[in-house]
PDB file of all heavy atoms in Angstrom:
ATOM      1  N   ALA A   1     -14.842  -8.678  28.633  1.00  0.00           N
ATOM      2  CA  ALA A   1     -15.317  -7.352  28.655  1.00  0.00           C
ATOM      3  C   ALA A   1     -14.316  -6.472  29.367  1.00  0.00           C
ATOM      4  O   ALA A   1     -13.869  -6.782  30.477  1.00  0.00           O
ATOM      5  CB  ALA A   1     -16.660  -7.321  29.364  1.00  0.00           C
ATOM      6  N   ALA A   2     -13.975  -5.354  28.717  1.00  0.00           N
ATOM      7  CA  ALA A   2     -12.985  -4.433  29.283  1.00  0.00           C
ATOM      8  C   ALA A   2     -13.688  -3.193  29.808  1.00  0.00           C
ATOM      9  O   ALA A   2     -14.685  -2.764  29.238  1.00  0.00           O
ATOM     10  CB  ALA A   2     -11.970  -4.079  28.253  1.00  0.00           C
ATOM     11  N   SER A   3     -13.123  -2.649  30.852  1.00  0.00           N
ATOM     12  CA  SER A   3     -13.642  -1.362  31.407  1.00  0.00           C
ATOM     13  C   SER A   3     -12.484  -0.552  31.908  1.00  0.00           C
ATOM     14  O   SER A   3     -11.375  -1.073  32.070  1.00  0.00           O
ATOM     15  CB  SER A   3     -14.657  -1.637  32.525  1.00  0.00           C
ATOM     16  OG  SER A   3     -14.007  -2.298  33.632  1.00  0.00           O
ATOM     17  N   GLY A   4     -12.717   0.726  32.063  1.00  0.00           N
ATOM     18  CA  GLY A   4     -11.648   1.578  32.576  1.00  0.00           C
ATOM     19  C   GLY A   4     -10.945   2.365  31.462  1.00  0.00           C
ATOM     20  O   GLY A   4     -10.642   3.499  31.565  1.00  0.00           O
ATOM     21  N   ARG A   5     -10.630   1.666  30.394  1.00  0.00           N
ATOM     22  CA  ARG A   5     -10.023   2.269  29.204  1.00  0.00           C
ATOM     23  C   ARG A   5     -10.651   1.631  27.955  1.00  0.00           C
ATOM     24  O   ARG A   5     -11.107   0.528  28.011  1.00  0.00           O
ATOM     25  CB  ARG A   5      -8.518   2.016  29.205  1.00  0.00           C
ATOM     26  CG  ARG A   5      -7.729   2.716  30.325  1.00  0.00           C
ATOM     27  CD  ARG A   5      -7.470   4.149  29.984  1.00  0.00           C
ATOM     28  NE  ARG A   5      -6.724   4.840  31.054  1.00  0.00           N
ATOM     29  CZ  ARG A   5      -5.392   4.882  31.059  1.00  0.00           C
ATOM     30  NH1 ARG A   5      -4.680   4.307  30.097  1.00  0.00           N
ATOM     31  NH2 ARG A   5      -4.789   5.520  32.092  1.00  0.00           N
ATOM     32  N   THR A   6     -10.596   2.336  26.878  1.00  0.00           N
ATOM     33  CA  THR A   6     -11.045   1.746  25.627  1.00  0.00           C
ATOM     34  C   THR A   6     -10.081   0.647  25.194  1.00  0.00           C
ATOM     35  O   THR A   6      -8.881   0.850  25.164  1.00  0.00           O
ATOM     36  CB  THR A   6     -11.231   2.786  24.535  1.00  0.00           C
ATOM     37  OG1 THR A   6     -11.602   2.111  23.327  1.00  0.00           O
ATOM     38  CG2 THR A   6     -10.009   3.588  24.327  1.00  0.00           C
ATOM     39  N   VAL A   7     -10.628  -0.519  24.828  1.00  0.00           N
ATOM     40  CA  VAL A   7      -9.773  -1.655  24.485  1.00  0.00           C
ATOM     41  C   VAL A   7      -9.073  -1.474  23.172  1.00  0.00           C
ATOM     42  O   VAL A   7      -8.132  -2.185  22.831  1.00  0.00           O
ATOM     43  CB  VAL A   7     -10.630  -2.943  24.507  1.00  0.00           C
ATOM     44  CG1 VAL A   7     -11.511  -3.039  23.241  1.00  0.00           C
ATOM     45  CG2 VAL A   7      -9.715  -4.175  24.634  1.00  0.00           C
ATOM     46  N   SER A   8      -9.473  -0.472  22.379  1.00  0.00           N
ATOM     47  CA  SER A   8      -8.848  -0.232  21.067  1.00  0.00           C
ATOM     48  C   SER A   8      -7.404   0.101  21.148  1.00  0.00           C
ATOM     49  O   SER A   8      -6.632  -0.021  20.191  1.00  0.00           O
ATOM     50  CB  SER A   8      -9.614   0.861  20.314  1.00  0.00           C
ATOM     51  OG  SER A   8      -9.550   2.100  21.012  1.00  0.00           O
ATOM     52  N   GLY A   9      -6.944   0.556  22.340  1.00  0.00           N
ATOM     53  CA  GLY A   9      -5.533   0.886  22.504  1.00  0.00           C
ATOM     54  C   GLY A   9      -4.672  -0.295  22.946  1.00  0.00           C
ATOM     55  O   GLY A   9      -3.483  -0.098  23.223  1.00  0.00           O
ATOM     56  N   TYR A  10      -5.251  -1.471  22.929  1.00  0.00           N
ATOM     57  CA  TYR A  10      -4.527  -2.634  23.502  1.00  0.00           C
ATOM     58  C   TYR A  10      -4.499  -3.795  22.546  1.00  0.00           C
ATOM     59  O   TYR A  10      -5.490  -4.125  21.880  1.00  0.00           O
ATOM     60  CB  TYR A  10      -5.196  -3.125  24.785  1.00  0.00           C
ATOM     61  CG  TYR A  10      -5.139  -2.070  25.888  1.00  0.00           C
ATOM     62  CD1 TYR A  10      -6.085  -1.039  25.988  1.00  0.00           C
ATOM     63  CD2 TYR A  10      -4.139  -2.137  26.873  1.00  0.00           C
ATOM     64  CE1 TYR A  10      -5.990  -0.092  26.962  1.00  0.00           C
ATOM     65  CE2 TYR A  10      -4.033  -1.214  27.894  1.00  0.00           C
ATOM     66  CZ  TYR A  10      -5.008  -0.187  27.922  1.00  0.00           C
ATOM     67  OH  TYR A  10      -4.873   0.744  28.934  1.00  0.00           O
ATOM     68  N   VAL A  11      -3.358  -4.464  22.507  1.00  0.00           N
ATOM     69  CA  VAL A  11      -3.285  -5.791  21.913  1.00  0.00           C
ATOM     70  C   VAL A  11      -3.903  -6.736  22.930  1.00  0.00           C
ATOM     71  O   VAL A  11      -3.664  -6.610  24.150  1.00  0.00           O
ATOM     72  CB  VAL A  11      -1.786  -6.180  21.677  1.00  0.00           C
ATOM     73  CG1 VAL A  11      -1.718  -7.633  21.205  1.00  0.00           C
ATOM     74  CG2 VAL A  11      -1.106  -5.245  20.748  1.00  0.00           C
ATOM     75  N   MET A  12      -4.734  -7.658  22.454  1.00  0.00           N
ATOM     76  CA  MET A  12      -5.474  -8.539  23.345  1.00  0.00           C
ATOM     77  C   MET A  12      -5.021 -10.000  23.120  1.00  0.00           C
ATOM     78  O   MET A  12      -4.803 -10.401  21.969  1.00  0.00           O
ATOM     79  CB  MET A  12      -6.953  -8.429  23.142  1.00  0.00           C
ATOM     80  CG  MET A  12      -7.487  -7.001  23.348  1.00  0.00           C
ATOM     81  SD  MET A  12      -7.243  -6.401  25.041  1.00  0.00           S
ATOM     82  CE  MET A  12      -8.306  -7.530  25.959  1.00  0.00           C
ATOM     83  N   GLY A  13      -4.995 -10.744  24.200  1.00  0.00           N
ATOM     84  CA  GLY A  13      -4.603 -12.173  24.098  1.00  0.00           C
ATOM     85  C   GLY A  13      -5.497 -13.046  24.958  1.00  0.00           C
ATOM     86  O   GLY A  13      -6.082 -12.577  25.930  1.00  0.00           O
ATOM     87  N   TRP A  14      -5.525 -14.271  24.569  1.00  0.00           N
ATOM     88  CA  TRP A  14      -6.135 -15.333  25.393  1.00  0.00           C
ATOM     89  C   TRP A  14      -5.052 -16.332  25.757  1.00  0.00           C
ATOM     90  O   TRP A  14      -4.307 -16.820  24.875  1.00  0.00           O
ATOM     91  CB  TRP A  14      -7.254 -16.028  24.661  1.00  0.00           C
ATOM     92  CG  TRP A  14      -8.536 -15.235  24.593  1.00  0.00           C
ATOM     93  CD1 TRP A  14      -8.943 -14.527  23.528  1.00  0.00           C
ATOM     94  CD2 TRP A  14      -9.571 -15.185  25.536  1.00  0.00           C
ATOM     95  NE1 TRP A  14     -10.192 -13.952  23.805  1.00  0.00           N
ATOM     96  CE2 TRP A  14     -10.588 -14.362  25.048  1.00  0.00           C
ATOM     97  CE3 TRP A  14      -9.765 -15.754  26.827  1.00  0.00           C
ATOM     98  CZ2 TRP A  14     -11.747 -14.060  25.743  1.00  0.00           C
ATOM     99  CZ3 TRP A  14     -10.882 -15.428  27.527  1.00  0.00           C
ATOM    100  CH2 TRP A  14     -11.902 -14.609  26.990  1.00  0.00           C
ATOM    101  N   PHE A  15      -5.023 -16.668  27.006  1.00  0.00           N
ATOM    102  CA  PHE A  15      -4.090 -17.680  27.505  1.00  0.00           C
ATOM    103  C   PHE A  15      -4.919 -18.727  28.291  1.00  0.00           C
ATOM    104  O   PHE A  15      -6.075 -18.470  28.642  1.00  0.00           O
ATOM    105  CB  PHE A  15      -3.050 -17.060  28.431  1.00  0.00           C
ATOM    106  CG  PHE A  15      -2.077 -16.198  27.746  1.00  0.00           C
ATOM    107  CD1 PHE A  15      -2.413 -14.904  27.334  1.00  0.00           C
ATOM    108  CD2 PHE A  15      -0.790 -16.636  27.486  1.00  0.00           C
ATOM    109  CE1 PHE A  15      -1.512 -14.078  26.672  1.00  0.00           C
ATOM    110  CE2 PHE A  15       0.131 -15.841  26.842  1.00  0.00           C
ATOM    111  CZ  PHE A  15      -0.240 -14.581  26.438  1.00  0.00           C
ATOM    112  N   ARG A  16      -4.326 -19.871  28.527  1.00  0.00           N
ATOM    113  CA  ARG A  16      -5.034 -20.882  29.287  1.00  0.00           C
ATOM    114  C   ARG A  16      -4.019 -21.628  30.225  1.00  0.00           C
ATOM    115  O   ARG A  16      -2.848 -21.700  29.931  1.00  0.00           O
ATOM    116  CB  ARG A  16      -5.728 -21.845  28.367  1.00  0.00           C
ATOM    117  CG  ARG A  16      -4.810 -22.698  27.483  1.00  0.00           C
ATOM    118  CD  ARG A  16      -5.663 -23.528  26.521  1.00  0.00           C
ATOM    119  NE  ARG A  16      -4.851 -24.439  25.710  1.00  0.00           N
ATOM    120  CZ  ARG A  16      -5.330 -25.241  24.828  1.00  0.00           C
ATOM    121  NH1 ARG A  16      -6.659 -25.260  24.544  1.00  0.00           N
ATOM    122  NH2 ARG A  16      -4.529 -26.030  24.138  1.00  0.00           N
ATOM    123  N   GLN A  17      -4.584 -22.107  31.323  1.00  0.00           N
ATOM    124  CA  GLN A  17      -3.779 -22.850  32.235  1.00  0.00           C
ATOM    125  C   GLN A  17      -4.533 -24.090  32.730  1.00  0.00           C
ATOM    126  O   GLN A  17      -5.585 -23.966  33.359  1.00  0.00           O
ATOM    127  CB  GLN A  17      -3.384 -21.991  33.412  1.00  0.00           C
ATOM    128  CG  GLN A  17      -2.392 -22.649  34.342  1.00  0.00           C
ATOM    129  CD  GLN A  17      -1.766 -21.692  35.337  1.00  0.00           C
ATOM    130  OE1 GLN A  17      -2.314 -20.587  35.568  1.00  0.00           O
ATOM    131  NE2 GLN A  17      -0.637 -22.059  35.910  1.00  0.00           N
ATOM    132  N   ALA A  18      -4.008 -25.257  32.413  1.00  0.00           N
ATOM    133  CA  ALA A  18      -4.607 -26.519  32.891  1.00  0.00           C
ATOM    134  C   ALA A  18      -4.003 -26.894  34.237  1.00  0.00           C
ATOM    135  O   ALA A  18      -2.927 -26.420  34.605  1.00  0.00           O
ATOM    136  CB  ALA A  18      -4.296 -27.602  31.863  1.00  0.00           C
ATOM    137  N   PRO A  19      -4.682 -27.711  34.991  1.00  0.00           N
ATOM    138  CA  PRO A  19      -4.193 -28.130  36.312  1.00  0.00           C
ATOM    139  C   PRO A  19      -2.795 -28.702  36.200  1.00  0.00           C
ATOM    140  O   PRO A  19      -2.559 -29.593  35.393  1.00  0.00           O
ATOM    141  CB  PRO A  19      -5.236 -29.153  36.763  1.00  0.00           C
ATOM    142  CG  PRO A  19      -6.461 -28.785  36.054  1.00  0.00           C
ATOM    143  CD  PRO A  19      -6.004 -28.292  34.694  1.00  0.00           C
ATOM    144  N   GLY A  20      -1.911 -28.228  37.050  1.00  0.00           N
ATOM    145  CA  GLY A  20      -0.546 -28.756  37.091  1.00  0.00           C
ATOM    146  C   GLY A  20       0.338 -28.325  35.974  1.00  0.00           C
ATOM    147  O   GLY A  20       1.481 -28.786  35.871  1.00  0.00           O
ATOM    148  N   LYS A  21      -0.144 -27.429  35.135  1.00  0.00           N
ATOM    149  CA  LYS A  21       0.640 -26.968  33.964  1.00  0.00           C
ATOM    150  C   LYS A  21       0.858 -25.479  34.018  1.00  0.00           C
ATOM    151  O   LYS A  21       0.111 -24.754  34.721  1.00  0.00           O
ATOM    152  CB  LYS A  21      -0.018 -27.407  32.650  1.00  0.00           C
ATOM    153  CG  LYS A  21      -0.137 -28.861  32.450  1.00  0.00           C
ATOM    154  CD  LYS A  21      -0.622 -29.177  31.077  1.00  0.00           C
ATOM    155  CE  LYS A  21      -0.609 -30.711  30.797  1.00  0.00           C
ATOM    156  NZ  LYS A  21      -1.072 -30.995  29.417  1.00  0.00           N
ATOM    157  N   GLU A  22       1.825 -25.020  33.237  1.00  0.00           N
ATOM    158  CA  GLU A  22       2.053 -23.579  33.186  1.00  0.00           C
ATOM    159  C   GLU A  22       1.029 -22.922  32.259  1.00  0.00           C
ATOM    160  O   GLU A  22       0.454 -23.535  31.393  1.00  0.00           O
ATOM    161  CB  GLU A  22       3.471 -23.314  32.641  1.00  0.00           C
ATOM    162  CG  GLU A  22       4.549 -23.737  33.602  1.00  0.00           C
ATOM    163  CD  GLU A  22       5.946 -23.304  33.106  1.00  0.00           C
ATOM    164  OE1 GLU A  22       6.041 -22.749  31.996  1.00  0.00           O
ATOM    165  OE2 GLU A  22       6.929 -23.526  33.853  1.00  0.00           O
ATOM    166  N   ARG A  23       0.850 -21.631  32.490  1.00  0.00           N
ATOM    167  CA  ARG A  23      -0.046 -20.849  31.626  1.00  0.00           C
ATOM    168  C   ARG A  23       0.570 -20.789  30.221  1.00  0.00           C
ATOM    169  O   ARG A  23       1.761 -20.616  30.008  1.00  0.00           O
ATOM    170  CB  ARG A  23      -0.173 -19.428  32.143  1.00  0.00           C
ATOM    171  CG  ARG A  23      -1.273 -18.654  31.470  1.00  0.00           C
ATOM    172  CD  ARG A  23      -1.492 -17.332  32.219  1.00  0.00           C
ATOM    173  NE  ARG A  23      -1.966 -17.555  33.580  1.00  0.00           N
ATOM    174  CZ  ARG A  23      -2.414 -16.627  34.382  1.00  0.00           C
ATOM    175  NH1 ARG A  23      -2.474 -15.355  33.956  1.00  0.00           N
ATOM    176  NH2 ARG A  23      -2.819 -16.892  35.614  1.00  0.00           N
ATOM    177  N   GLU A  24      -0.314 -21.049  29.224  1.00  0.00           N
ATOM    178  CA  GLU A  24       0.204 -21.100  27.831  1.00  0.00           C
ATOM    179  C   GLU A  24      -0.632 -20.161  26.969  1.00  0.00           C
ATOM    180  O   GLU A  24      -1.815 -19.925  27.179  1.00  0.00           O
ATOM    181  CB  GLU A  24       0.180 -22.518  27.271  1.00  0.00           C
ATOM    182  CG  GLU A  24      -1.221 -23.111  27.149  1.00  0.00           C
ATOM    183  CD  GLU A  24      -1.185 -24.498  26.483  1.00  0.00           C
ATOM    184  OE1 GLU A  24      -0.099 -25.080  26.269  1.00  0.00           O
ATOM    185  OE2 GLU A  24      -2.295 -24.975  26.101  1.00  0.00           O
ATOM    186  N   PHE A  25       0.025 -19.715  25.885  1.00  0.00           N
ATOM    187  CA  PHE A  25      -0.584 -18.846  24.913  1.00  0.00           C
ATOM    188  C   PHE A  25      -1.629 -19.629  24.078  1.00  0.00           C
ATOM    189  O   PHE A  25      -1.403 -20.789  23.717  1.00  0.00           O
ATOM    190  CB  PHE A  25       0.474 -18.288  24.009  1.00  0.00           C
ATOM    191  CG  PHE A  25      -0.029 -17.598  22.794  1.00  0.00           C
ATOM    192  CD1 PHE A  25      -0.542 -16.303  22.905  1.00  0.00           C
ATOM    193  CD2 PHE A  25       0.030 -18.175  21.543  1.00  0.00           C
ATOM    194  CE1 PHE A  25      -0.987 -15.609  21.752  1.00  0.00           C
ATOM    195  CE2 PHE A  25      -0.405 -17.539  20.402  1.00  0.00           C
ATOM    196  CZ  PHE A  25      -0.931 -16.256  20.542  1.00  0.00           C
ATOM    197  N   ALA A  26      -2.764 -18.984  23.799  1.00  0.00           N
ATOM    198  CA  ALA A  26      -3.756 -19.584  22.910  1.00  0.00           C
ATOM    199  C   ALA A  26      -3.924 -18.760  21.640  1.00  0.00           C
ATOM    200  O   ALA A  26      -3.856 -19.259  20.552  1.00  0.00           O
ATOM    201  CB  ALA A  26      -5.079 -19.740  23.657  1.00  0.00           C
ATOM    202  N   ALA A  27      -4.203 -17.428  21.804  1.00  0.00           N
ATOM    203  CA  ALA A  27      -4.476 -16.619  20.646  1.00  0.00           C
ATOM    204  C   ALA A  27      -4.264 -15.141  20.998  1.00  0.00           C
ATOM    205  O   ALA A  27      -4.305 -14.766  22.189  1.00  0.00           O
ATOM    206  CB  ALA A  27      -5.920 -16.797  20.187  1.00  0.00           C
ATOM    207  N   ALA A  28      -3.967 -14.364  19.983  1.00  0.00           N
ATOM    208  CA  ALA A  28      -3.807 -12.942  20.177  1.00  0.00           C
ATOM    209  C   ALA A  28      -4.326 -12.172  18.990  1.00  0.00           C
ATOM    210  O   ALA A  28      -4.371 -12.703  17.839  1.00  0.00           O
ATOM    211  CB  ALA A  28      -2.330 -12.583  20.436  1.00  0.00           C
ATOM    212  N   ILE A  29      -4.711 -10.905  19.212  1.00  0.00           N
ATOM    213  CA  ILE A  29      -5.262 -10.088  18.111  1.00  0.00           C
ATOM    214  C   ILE A  29      -4.703  -8.690  18.274  1.00  0.00           C
ATOM    215  O   ILE A  29      -4.602  -8.122  19.365  1.00  0.00           O
ATOM    216  CB  ILE A  29      -6.800 -10.102  18.155  1.00  0.00           C
ATOM    217  CG1 ILE A  29      -7.359  -9.432  16.918  1.00  0.00           C
ATOM    218  CG2 ILE A  29      -7.347  -9.550  19.423  1.00  0.00           C
ATOM    219  CD1 ILE A  29      -8.844  -9.727  16.698  1.00  0.00           C
ATOM    220  N   SER A  30      -4.359  -8.085  17.119  1.00  0.00           N
ATOM    221  CA  SER A  30      -3.787  -6.745  17.147  1.00  0.00           C
ATOM    222  C   SER A  30      -4.868  -5.715  17.488  1.00  0.00           C
ATOM    223  O   SER A  30      -6.074  -6.002  17.522  1.00  0.00           O
ATOM    224  CB  SER A  30      -3.159  -6.471  15.767  1.00  0.00           C
ATOM    225  OG  SER A  30      -4.146  -6.536  14.754  1.00  0.00           O
ATOM    226  N   ARG A  31      -4.417  -4.505  17.684  1.00  0.00           N
ATOM    227  CA  ARG A  31      -5.326  -3.448  18.118  1.00  0.00           C
ATOM    228  C   ARG A  31      -6.462  -3.271  17.154  1.00  0.00           C
ATOM    229  O   ARG A  31      -7.584  -3.016  17.566  1.00  0.00           O
ATOM    230  CB  ARG A  31      -4.502  -2.139  18.237  1.00  0.00           C
ATOM    231  CG  ARG A  31      -3.656  -2.047  19.481  1.00  0.00           C
ATOM    232  CD  ARG A  31      -2.941  -0.718  19.484  1.00  0.00           C
ATOM    233  NE  ARG A  31      -3.855   0.401  19.256  1.00  0.00           N
ATOM    234  CZ  ARG A  31      -3.511   1.639  19.018  1.00  0.00           C
ATOM    235  NH1 ARG A  31      -2.215   1.942  18.991  1.00  0.00           N
ATOM    236  NH2 ARG A  31      -4.374   2.552  18.879  1.00  0.00           N
ATOM    237  N   ASN A  32      -6.184  -3.267  15.869  1.00  0.00           N
ATOM    238  CA  ASN A  32      -7.244  -3.043  14.908  1.00  0.00           C
ATOM    239  C   ASN A  32      -7.894  -4.316  14.413  1.00  0.00           C
ATOM    240  O   ASN A  32      -8.766  -4.255  13.538  1.00  0.00           O
ATOM    241  CB  ASN A  32      -6.694  -2.251  13.731  1.00  0.00           C
ATOM    242  CG  ASN A  32      -5.571  -2.933  12.986  1.00  0.00           C
ATOM    243  OD1 ASN A  32      -5.259  -4.076  13.295  1.00  0.00           O
ATOM    244  ND2 ASN A  32      -4.974  -2.286  12.026  1.00  0.00           N
ATOM    245  N   GLY A  33      -7.485  -5.438  14.922  1.00  0.00           N
ATOM    246  CA  GLY A  33      -8.067  -6.745  14.517  1.00  0.00           C
ATOM    247  C   GLY A  33      -7.555  -7.292  13.238  1.00  0.00           C
ATOM    248  O   GLY A  33      -7.964  -8.334  12.787  1.00  0.00           O
ATOM    249  N   GLY A  34      -6.613  -6.607  12.592  1.00  0.00           N
ATOM    250  CA  GLY A  34      -6.109  -7.016  11.299  1.00  0.00           C
ATOM    251  C   GLY A  34      -5.128  -8.125  11.330  1.00  0.00           C
ATOM    252  O   GLY A  34      -4.841  -8.755  10.310  1.00  0.00           O
ATOM    253  N   ASN A  35      -4.572  -8.403  12.494  1.00  0.00           N
ATOM    254  CA  ASN A  35      -3.552  -9.459  12.626  1.00  0.00           C
ATOM    255  C   ASN A  35      -3.923 -10.348  13.827  1.00  0.00           C
ATOM    256  O   ASN A  35      -4.197  -9.847  14.904  1.00  0.00           O
ATOM    257  CB  ASN A  35      -2.184  -8.820  12.859  1.00  0.00           C
ATOM    258  CG  ASN A  35      -1.056  -9.850  12.778  1.00  0.00           C
ATOM    259  OD1 ASN A  35      -1.246 -10.972  12.320  1.00  0.00           O
ATOM    260  ND2 ASN A  35       0.128  -9.474  13.262  1.00  0.00           N
ATOM    261  N   THR A  36      -3.919 -11.646  13.571  1.00  0.00           N
ATOM    262  CA  THR A  36      -4.165 -12.610  14.623  1.00  0.00           C
ATOM    263  C   THR A  36      -3.061 -13.663  14.632  1.00  0.00           C
ATOM    264  O   THR A  36      -2.329 -13.841  13.633  1.00  0.00           O
ATOM    265  CB  THR A  36      -5.533 -13.280  14.429  1.00  0.00           C
ATOM    266  OG1 THR A  36      -5.531 -13.957  13.168  1.00  0.00           O
ATOM    267  CG2 THR A  36      -6.692 -12.319  14.532  1.00  0.00           C
ATOM    268  N   ASN A  37      -2.919 -14.306  15.756  1.00  0.00           N
ATOM    269  CA  ASN A  37      -1.909 -15.383  15.893  1.00  0.00           C
ATOM    270  C   ASN A  37      -2.444 -16.400  16.818  1.00  0.00           C
ATOM    271  O   ASN A  37      -3.135 -16.075  17.795  1.00  0.00           O
ATOM    272  CB  ASN A  37      -0.606 -14.756  16.426  1.00  0.00           C
ATOM    273  CG  ASN A  37       0.571 -15.695  16.309  1.00  0.00           C
ATOM    274  OD1 ASN A  37       0.792 -16.502  17.201  1.00  0.00           O
ATOM    275  ND2 ASN A  37       1.289 -15.594  15.219  1.00  0.00           N
ATOM    276  N   TYR A  38      -2.130 -17.687  16.581  1.00  0.00           N
ATOM    277  CA  TYR A  38      -2.641 -18.764  17.304  1.00  0.00           C
ATOM    278  C   TYR A  38      -1.582 -19.797  17.700  1.00  0.00           C
ATOM    279  O   TYR A  38      -0.629 -20.013  16.968  1.00  0.00           O
ATOM    280  CB  TYR A  38      -3.738 -19.522  16.566  1.00  0.00           C
ATOM    281  CG  TYR A  38      -4.936 -18.676  16.170  1.00  0.00           C
ATOM    282  CD1 TYR A  38      -4.987 -17.973  14.972  1.00  0.00           C
ATOM    283  CD2 TYR A  38      -6.006 -18.551  17.056  1.00  0.00           C
ATOM    284  CE1 TYR A  38      -6.050 -17.200  14.647  1.00  0.00           C
ATOM    285  CE2 TYR A  38      -7.086 -17.791  16.723  1.00  0.00           C
ATOM    286  CZ  TYR A  38      -7.119 -17.097  15.533  1.00  0.00           C
ATOM    287  OH  TYR A  38      -8.194 -16.320  15.232  1.00  0.00           O
ATOM    288  N   ALA A  39      -1.763 -20.388  18.812  1.00  0.00           N
ATOM    289  CA  ALA A  39      -0.902 -21.565  19.160  1.00  0.00           C
ATOM    290  C   ALA A  39      -1.246 -22.704  18.195  1.00  0.00           C
ATOM    291  O   ALA A  39      -2.398 -22.831  17.731  1.00  0.00           O
ATOM    292  CB  ALA A  39      -1.193 -22.001  20.604  1.00  0.00           C
ATOM    293  N   ASP A  40      -0.248 -23.518  17.927  1.00  0.00           N
ATOM    294  CA  ASP A  40      -0.478 -24.612  17.011  1.00  0.00           C
ATOM    295  C   ASP A  40      -1.560 -25.551  17.470  1.00  0.00           C
ATOM    296  O   ASP A  40      -2.320 -26.107  16.675  1.00  0.00           O
ATOM    297  CB  ASP A  40       0.785 -25.422  16.832  1.00  0.00           C
ATOM    298  CG  ASP A  40       1.839 -24.658  16.002  1.00  0.00           C
ATOM    299  OD1 ASP A  40       1.493 -23.699  15.299  1.00  0.00           O
ATOM    300  OD2 ASP A  40       3.048 -25.026  16.036  1.00  0.00           O
ATOM    301  N   SER A  41      -1.712 -25.668  18.799  1.00  0.00           N
ATOM    302  CA  SER A  41      -2.657 -26.615  19.395  1.00  0.00           C
ATOM    303  C   SER A  41      -4.104 -26.200  19.161  1.00  0.00           C
ATOM    304  O   SER A  41      -5.044 -27.026  19.279  1.00  0.00           O
ATOM    305  CB  SER A  41      -2.413 -26.741  20.874  1.00  0.00           C
ATOM    306  OG  SER A  41      -2.511 -25.501  21.521  1.00  0.00           O
ATOM    307  N   VAL A  42      -4.358 -24.937  18.853  1.00  0.00           N
ATOM    308  CA  VAL A  42      -5.709 -24.444  18.654  1.00  0.00           C
ATOM    309  C   VAL A  42      -5.995 -23.943  17.254  1.00  0.00           C
ATOM    310  O   VAL A  42      -7.119 -23.629  16.892  1.00  0.00           O
ATOM    311  CB  VAL A  42      -6.091 -23.334  19.647  1.00  0.00           C
ATOM    312  CG1 VAL A  42      -5.766 -23.779  21.076  1.00  0.00           C
ATOM    313  CG2 VAL A  42      -5.336 -22.021  19.349  1.00  0.00           C
TER     314      VAL A  42
END
């Protein structure tokens, strides 16, 4: 959930970090939702 600004102006992403590991990319979505991208693992 976003607040402060409308999220429509932002590219959004999900990242994850497991114990002892670096933060890694999981998924991302463009501003209008028309383009998505995923890590191979997910």
Side-chain angles (χ1 to χ4, degrees):
S3 61
R5 293 278 181 92
T6 175
V7 75
S8 62
Y10 295 84
V11 176
M12 301 298 295
W14 284 97
F15 291 76
R16 65 186 186 181
Q17 187 167 17
K21 295 187 176 181
E22 293 187 355
R23 191 171 297 189
E24 65 174 11
F25 169 77
I29 187 166
S30 60
R31 285 179 52 191
N32 60 5
N35 188 16
T36 57
N37 192 273
Y38 298 92
D40 288 343
S41 58
V42 307

